[in-house]
Amino acid sequence: MSRRISKFFGLSVRGGQDEPSRDNGRQPKSTSSRETKLEEVDEKTASGQPDMEEVNEWGKSFDKMMKSCHGRIIFREFLKTEYSEENMMFWLACEDLKEEKPENQSAIEEKARQIYEDYISILSPKEVSIDSRVREIINRNMVDPTPSTFDEAQQQIYVLMHRDSYPRFLNSKMFKDLLRQVSSEGASS
């Protein structure tokens, strides 16, 4: 089987086709310019590379991994192999919305509309899986959006990633290869 080799932080991490995926016949989603901007922010913030201690912490705590720019980047790459990258992108978009100042209502409305169109609308190819109760709350909130318009949906997606994707990530070849790589580099320093 062919393998895709990605470069992260100067480390080679194997992943992709040699790992089981849950594609359910879905095609990979296209990346919008908004998603590219969110990705670039994480990559710019993630200076250097993670050390052995940081990567080991990701194996113990989903919260610590999600607080780490490096952790979000590698986890997002894993989510791509499972055709569920939209969960991370939605979560990041919500974080971006929360950073808007309340007095900047036009930016809040624009970002909220974009998030709704990209991840909540049933017409979106990147629709995230949220329950009908939360979808109704969002629909009501969209009348007058605020930075917290998507809080309940964001929490549902966070829990979904934590309970569903994160355990598979920890058992993935991608994560195990990264652990081996940072361990060997740590030993040689």
Side-chain angles (χ1 to χ4, degrees):
M1 246 180 224
S2 68
R3 291 184 178 170
R4 189 188 67 176
I5 299 187
S6 301
K7 293 283 186 184
F8 299 103
F9 329 112
L11 305 173
S12 292
V13 180
R14 296 178 190 276
Q17 296 177 4
D18 59 337
E19 296 183 338
S21 70
R22 304 175 310 126
D23 69 0
N24 301 325
R26 291 167 54 186
Q27 295 296 315
K29 290 146 191 87
S30 61
T31 304
S32 72
S33 61
R34 177 173 172 67
E35 290 170 354
T36 303
K37 288 176 188 168
L38 290 170
E39 184 177 84
E40 288 170 359
V41 167
D42 248 1
E43 289 175 359
K44 286 178 184 172
T45 309
S47 60
Q49 64 184 39
D51 60 20
M52 187 171 60
E53 183 179 339
E54 183 179 4
V55 175
N56 282 326
E57 288 297 316
W58 302 344
K60 298 173 189 168
S61 170
F62 180 71
D63 294 332
K64 287 185 180 178
M65 183 185 68
M66 290 295 285
K67 289 177 183 169
S68 161
C69 290
H70 296 125
R72 288 190 304 269
I73 291 168
I74 189 86
F75 187 57
R76 180 176 174 200
E77 285 299 314
F78 172 75
L79 292 174
K80 286 179 184 178
T81 70
E82 294 204 319
Y83 300 95
S84 60
E85 177 189 20
E86 70 275 4
N87 291 330
M88 177 65 81
M89 295 311 301
F90 171 72
W91 189 85
L92 288 170
C94 291
E95 289 296 296
D96 184 50
L97 176 62
K98 288 177 185 178
E99 291 178 11
E100 283 299 331
K101 306 241 183 297
E103 59 271 9
N104 197 354
Q105 189 59 32
S106 64
I108 291 169
E109 288 174 4
E110 176 58 26
K111 285 183 179 184
R113 183 192 59 74
Q114 192 66 51
I115 292 169
Y116 187 89
E117 289 176 4
D118 287 348
Y119 306 106
I120 305 302
S121 171
I122 59 173
L123 301 174
S124 173
K126 300 176 288 187
E127 179 187 7
V128 293
S129 181
I130 55 174
D131 64 41
S132 60
R133 179 190 64 82
V134 171
R135 189 174 301 279
E136 287 176 26
I137 291 169
I138 291 171
N139 286 335
R140 284 193 304 267
N141 288 346
M142 286 301 292
V143 172
D144 187 23
T146 68
S148 60
T149 293
F150 301 99
D151 282 359
E152 287 194 54
Q154 185 185 23
Q155 181 60 32
Q156 271 191 1
I157 295 304
Y158 190 86
V159 169
L160 176 71
M161 290 190 296
H162 185 193
R163 291 186 180 159
D164 189 42
S165 301
Y166 177 65
R168 285 194 303 278
F169 170 68
L170 295 180
N171 290 313
S172 71
K173 184 167 176 25
M174 181 184 285
F175 183 66
K176 289 177 181 174
D177 284 352
L178 178 62
L179 272 174
R180 270 192 294 279
Q181 212 158 4
V182 294
S183 294
S184 68
E185 287 184 6
S188 64
S189 336

